[in-house]
Amino acid sequence: MHPSIHAQKTPDKAAIRMASTGETISYAELDARSNQFAQLLRANGIKPGDHIAIFLENHPRYFELAWGAQRAGVIYTAINYRLSVDETNYIVGNCEARMVISSARLAETAAGLRAADNPERIVEQWLMIDGVIDGWSSYEAALEAMPADRISDECAANDMLYSSGTTGRPKGVYSPPLSPEIDAPTVLSDLCQNTFGMDTETIYLSPAPLYHAAPLRYNLAVMRLGGTCIVMERFDEERYLQLIEQYQVTHSQLVPTMFVRMLKLAPEVRARYDVSSLRCAIHAAAPCPVSIKQQMIDWWGPILWEYYAGTEGNGVTLLDSHAWLSKPGSVGKAVSGVVKICDENGEELPVGQEGSVYFADGKVFVYHNDAEKTAGSRNAKGWTTLGDIGRLDEDGYLYLTDRKAFMIISGGVNIYPQETESLLVTHPKVMDAAVFGVPDPEFGEQVKAVVQPLDMADANPAFAAELVEWCREHIAHHKCPKSIDFSAALPREANGKLYKRGLRDQYWAGHANPII
């Protein structure tokens, strides 16, 4: 259950193939380079339990860094390469990275990061791939000087990834490995093998940025099992379908916005590609509108698996397409931890009632160097929450309503915008939508929508009025937007999460703005 094992058994087999360039890294190359990186860490005095940061685009050398740190017992933080200098600088300091690895493609941000002031930073090595700039050294040269032998003190480590930061500064989340052995199975590798049917024959298509928890960890799980990962540098809906056919992809992991974008393709474009090799399409990260998922099952067949979990790993719910068809809208039953629905006081609520979603008996995690945030994620019973609202049905299936922080309070009525957003994206002329509360002198807040139309030529008052009336035909009037603005693009991350705070803050300028 480790790439080093497959490097011995099938050294020439492709572990990684980059979608755009076709560059291929064999298991033998991956193992040798990860050994060299582990040696490089030790040569720089970086010990088990120390931290490094990886600030890279989807790059062919990403996984040698992850596996090298993993086998050296070094905790690695993958940083969103789209972040600003200030945001990146904060994470580098907060995660206590002793080494940072970046690339020439990110030279502008990397230069600003190197020059930035941060008293928390303890970085000793700044390494750059594909070139160097002032203040950075060549990663390739440093690696080339290292032997490809295994270090003598191998021990397992995990990633420490940072939450999205939609409600303030991002939080570093760390859970220690269950075993110090580098080749010990993990919960995810067991799930991928025993539930999703992954093995040495798996061809896994990864369309999302590797700094996110699911793309990073699922690729690593595939490599533990000896499969091949096809890594897209960025998602393009038609290119994704083409890759399935080209490589006879068997498994993939997506987010609902990717479904929406593929479904918006012209029917003749979708029909152009053979996707029959797909045996399992896994999705999570954001709620999937019922009608969107139904259309995907109609197109791809009952191969969709959905789960609910977070970077924290405190619990997981799961269901396949057959279960979903009998429980439309559910995100499944718990397969790790026990789901509890609680009121504002942390007390458990009866079946069917909405409240905060907690996991009992789940995996232990902490927010790095933040005891207050760690304590805020727990109730008096020790159950942990990610901040979502939902309910359980009589069979133990979980249904999510929205994030608690996104709730709109209008005239004393609680409104969760996810239902309205899910409806709006099903309109044939809408690509994406964000719904949130804006100031209202009488009711405190009113429902506002910002819509990304398929064609910006539709961004006019007549279409806005049409959408409002269309919403009123489908859901309760108090949940419908009172007004609609348009935008050519919404601040949605590639992991499917919508960053509404920046949009919302524009409307609260000069008002008492509740913190999201």
Side-chain angles (χ1 to χ4, degrees), residues 457-501:
D458 291 323
N460 55 61
F463 185 44
E466 176 189 331
L467 285 176
V468 170
E469 288 306 310
W470 185 75
C471 287
R472 290 168 70 88
E473 292 171 7
H474 290 85
I475 57 175
H477 291 187
H478 71 279
K479 300 177 183 178
C480 297
K482 298 294 186 291
S483 60
I484 293 179
D485 293 337
F486 295 99
S487 175
L490 295 185
R492 189 181 290 276
E493 254 293 352
N495 68 343
K497 291 182 179 178
L498 185 61
Y499 294 143
K500 291 192 253 190
R501 188 171 189 172

Side-chain angles (χ1 to χ4, degrees), residues 2-13 15 26-35 71 150 223-224 226:
H2 194 269
S4 59
I5 297 171
H6 305 297
Q8 298 299 315
K9 293 181 177 179
T10 53
D12 297 327
K13 182 177 181 178
S26 70
Y27 272 99
E29 291 170 324
L30 177 63
D31 188 49
R33 291 179 185 177
S34 68
N35 278 327
R71 69 196 310 163
R150 295 171 75 151
M223 290 178 224
R224 281 187 178 274

Side-chain angles (χ1 to χ4, degrees), residues 38-337:
Q39 295 278 4
L40 180 62
L41 292 170
R42 290 291 186 267
N44 283 277
I46 298 177
K47 310 176 298 300
D50 287 343
H51 296 244
I52 65 168
I54 303 170
F55 182 58
L56 277 179
E57 72 275 21
N58 280 16
H59 194 283
R61 308 203 77 149
Y62 215 110
F63 293 107
E64 68 193 59
L65 301 172
W67 285 117
Q70 185 266 350
R71 69 196 310 163
V74 173
I75 301 165
Y76 56 101
T77 292
I79 302 178
N80 181 345
Y81 64 85
R82 296 182 175 92
L83 295 181
S84 68
V85 170
D86 177 65
E87 292 166 320
T88 307
N89 191 32
Y90 167 77
I91 293 175
V92 168
N94 187 260
C95 78
E96 301 172 281
R98 295 185 58 191
M99 176 185 287
V100 179
I101 305 96
S102 189
S103 74
R105 178 182 164 185
L106 304 177
E108 183 177 351
T109 306
L113 174 64
R114 185 70 175 87
D117 180 50
N118 185 348
E120 291 187 341
R121 259 183 7 199
I122 58 171
V123 182
E124 299 155 358
Q125 288 289 322
W126 302 82
L127 299 177
M128 183 165 283
I129 302 171
D130 300 331
V132 293
I133 58 175
D134 288 346
W136 293 74
S137 301
S138 169
Y139 168 80
E140 292 91 342
L143 199 74
E144 186 65 28
M146 295 295 115
D149 302 321
R150 295 171 75 151
I151 58 174
S152 60
D153 59 341
E154 283 186 337
C155 57
N158 283 342
D159 60 56
M160 185 175 82
L161 305 183
Y162 277 67
S163 64
S164 303
T166 55
T167 59
R169 284 291 197 183
K171 304 177 287 288
V173 182
Y174 185 66
S175 295
L178 300 177
S179 168
E181 302 299 322
I182 66 166
D183 57 354
T186 65
V187 172
L188 182 57
S189 65
D190 284 346
L191 180 68
C192 287
Q193 183 175 39
N194 300 322
T195 300
F196 302 141
M198 295 185 187
D199 55 23
T200 57
E201 301 304 311
T202 292
I203 307 295
Y204 177 77
L205 179 55
S206 181
L210 297 175
Y211 57 76
H212 284 305
L216 177 61
R217 293 170 183 172
Y218 271 81
N219 277 288
L220 295 176
V222 172
M223 290 178 224
R224 281 187 178 274
L225 299 171
T228 296
C229 297
I230 312 296
V231 179
M232 296 183 75
E233 288 80 357
R234 66 177 185 84
F235 177 72
D236 175 88
E237 48 267 35
E238 186 174 355
R239 177 64 172 149
Y240 177 86
L241 298 174
Q242 182 185 23
L243 289 167
I244 293 175
E245 180 178 54
Q246 179 180 349
Y247 290 109
Q248 292 294 285
V249 169
T250 60
H251 294 73
S252 190
Q253 213 260 4
L254 307 98
V255 296
T257 53
M258 295 175 180
F259 292 157
V260 171
R261 291 179 183 275
M262 287 189 287
L263 289 168
K264 300 288 184 181
L265 289 169
E268 62 271 19
V269 174
R270 285 197 276 139
R272 191 176 297 156
Y273 304 101
D274 180 3
V275 297
S276 61
S277 62
L278 263 181
R279 302 204 306 267
C280 180
I282 307 153
H283 72 98
C288 186
V290 170
S291 64
I292 297 297
K293 184 160 180 175
Q294 182 66 64
Q295 290 178 71
M296 289 303 302
I297 294 173
D298 292 342
W299 178 15
W300 286 1
I303 64 167
L304 271 65
W305 283 83
E306 182 170 4
Y307 70 90
Y308 165 65
T311 303
E312 290 82 349
N314 58 331
V316 180
T317 69
L318 182 71
L319 84 170
D320 64 13
S321 293
H322 300 289
W324 184 89
L325 288 167
S326 67
K327 302 277 189 180
S330 173
V331 295
K333 296 180 71 171
V335 295
S336 175

